[in-house]
């Protein structure tokens, strides 16, 4: 009986975690996938344009973690992750900005702060 309760309790916690955090990444993932397909479908780009990789920067914005495109002062995505809930070391890293050279790297960085 106790094992059954622990098992279903664990499932409940996992389900709750997915309900809370899944919406944070769904719009980001969809926009990054769309951006990737837009770049791969445009055959009119010059070779210089193809060599340029878009770099994202994860940093603090109005007390939350936000994602910026390279050299932009305006975030294109602001998460619900509050900086006040993070350790001091993470706050220092985010004040400087953490670069991500791909959408996969960006998602890994964000997942680290959500767990």
């Amino acid at each position: 009986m106790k094992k059954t309760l622990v098992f279903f309790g664990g499932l409940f916690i996992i389900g709750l975690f997915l309900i809370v955090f899944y919406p944070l990444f769904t719009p980001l993932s969809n926009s990054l996938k769309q951006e990737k397909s837009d770049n791969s479908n445009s055959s009119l780009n010059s070779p210089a344009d193809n060599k340029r990789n878009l770099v994202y920067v994860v940093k603090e914005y109005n007390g939350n973690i936000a994602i910026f495109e390279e050299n932009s002062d305006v975030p294109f995505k602001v998460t619900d992750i509050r900086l006040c809930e993070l350790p001091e070391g993470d706050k220092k890293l985010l004040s400087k900005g953490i670069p991500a050279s791909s959408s996969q790297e960006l998602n890994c960085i964000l997942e680290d702060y959500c767990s």
Side-chain angles (χ1 to χ4, degrees):
M1 179 73 173
K2 188 174 182 180
K3 288 181 182 180
T4 305
L5 286 175
V6 170
F7 175 75
F8 284 112
L11 284 178
F12 176 77
I13 290 171
I14 291 171
L16 186 62
F17 180 83
L18 289 174
I19 290 170
V20 170
F21 290 108
Y22 182 73
L24 292 175
F25 296 107
T26 303
L28 172 64
S29 298
N30 290 340
S31 66
L32 293 175
K33 286 178 187 174
Q34 180 64 36
E35 177 182 299
K36 185 176 181 179
S37 68
D38 288 346
N39 288 341
S40 64
N41 290 337
S42 75
S43 59
L44 300 175
N45 289 345
S46 69
D49 290 340
N50 290 334
K51 289 182 182 177
R52 182 188 178 276
N53 291 331
L54 184 61
V55 176
Y56 303 100
V57 180
V58 180
K59 61 183 179 178
E60 185 272 336
Y61 182 78
N62 290 340
N64 288 23
I65 294 177
I67 303 156
F68 294 78
E69 291 180 347
E70 184 178 36
N71 300 324
S72 175
D73 293 332
V74 179
F76 78 90
K77 170 82 173 142
V78 179
T79 69
D80 293 331
I81 306 166
R82 304 281 308 152
L83 249 62
C84 63
E85 300 169 0
L86 300 176
E88 283 302 315
D90 290 336
K91 291 177 187 177
K92 288 180 184 178
L93 281 174
L94 290 164
S95 68
K96 295 178 184 176
I98 303 170
S101 58
S102 68
S103 59
Q104 291 84 10
E105 189 176 348
L106 178 62
N107 284 333
C108 286
I109 292 168
L110 292 174
E111 285 174 4
D112 286 345
Y113 289 108
C114 286
S115 57

